[in-house]
Structure formats: C-alpha cells, structure tokens
Amino acid sequence: MKDPTRNQPSEASDPLLSMLGIGRQLWETEAGDSFVERLRSEEAAPFTTPPESAAQNTTEVVWKRIESHQGEEFRTVTGLPFTYAVEGPGIWFFREARRINRKLTRTQTEAAIARCPLSTTTEIKDLIDYPYLFALLMDARIRGESW
C-alpha cells in the first residue's frame, strides 16, 4: 500500500504554502469591511486636462447634464426606477432610497460616453454599474443632441 503523504510537498517546499500568513500586518490597522467600503467610495484623480477635441467637449457637456439632473427618477432597460447623486468626480446610484455599493467614477463615465451611442448594456458591461450607466446615458435628458 502506498503512503498518501509521500508525494505531498512540505510547507517549506511548496511556494503557495510558504506564503501562508504573509500580509497579516495589513489588517492590523484596518478591518476588512472598512477597507472594502473605502475602496468602493474612493474618487478617481481629478480631471485636469483641458478639453482639446470635440469628444472632450461632448464629455464635459454630458457631465454637466448629469450634474443638473441628479435626484430625478430614471429607469433601467428592465423598467427598474433609480436615482443618482453626483459627489465630487463620481456618481452614487440609488434604488428604493438605498445606495448601490460602488461609486461610479467620472473616468468610468467618460469611458462610456466615448462609446456612445450605445445599443445594449453589454457594450459597457466592463464598467461599474453598467445597467444604471446605460439607462442614464441613453436617457434623452442626458444625451440631448450629443448622440
């Protein structure tokens, strides 16, 4: 009969097992839940480059529309109502008066604007809160005559 432990690597020889416990000091000063909350609410670096093209001007115009319509009710493709609030260079979405966990940054919003006009939500599914972002950008109040 073969010994089942014979071919098993020891902790010292296994590179993954040897990493056990590394980074423990990272959690000594901040609990995991507060770390996740901090990451979800961090704002992107401020937008500092001046507009140089028509696309950048469009982005600025659309962002101003987004700011001016915050608090109004919008609807997703499936008809779910939501609102949003602009906070610094980002957007918080709300459903049934409860905030969605992750703040959409202006950088993400600009990436979606650059892809407009959009046909389906899947065109921006790599971005945060894409069903809400799609509904927002494709609403006539926000897109205006931009696309």
Side-chain angles (χ1 to χ4, degrees), residues 99-121:
R99 186 179 82 188
I100 305 300
N101 283 342
R102 182 93 189 231
K103 185 178 186 181
L104 176 69
T105 65
R106 180 167 175 166
T107 305
Q108 293 261 308
T109 306
E110 289 172 353
I113 291 169
R115 299 177 195 177
C116 286
L118 303 168
S119 304
T120 65
T121 58

Side-chain angles (χ1 to χ4, degrees), residues 16-96:
L16 290 177
L17 290 176
S18 68
M19 293 173 52
L20 191 64
I22 291 178
R24 187 174 300 149
Q25 72 280 4
L26 294 173
W27 303 110
E28 291 175 355
T29 59
E30 182 177 24
D33 288 342
S34 62
F35 170 76
V36 170
E37 178 63 27
R38 183 171 53 84
L39 282 180
R40 287 179 173 166
S41 67
E42 281 189 33
E43 297 173 355
F47 186 75
T48 57
T49 54
E52 297 172 2
S53 68
Q56 288 174 324
N57 287 333
T58 298
T59 300
E60 194 62 38
V61 168
V62 171
W63 184 259
K64 294 217 180 292
R65 285 189 204 126
I66 289 170
E67 289 178 323
S68 69
H69 290 285
Q70 62 184 317
E72 295 177 17
E73 185 176 282
F74 288 77
R75 292 197 174 268
T76 64
V77 172
T78 59
L80 297 173
F82 70 94
T83 60
Y84 67 91
V86 176
E87 184 180 290
I91 301 171
W92 288 108
F93 290 105
F94 297 86
R95 281 238 328 108
E96 299 172 352

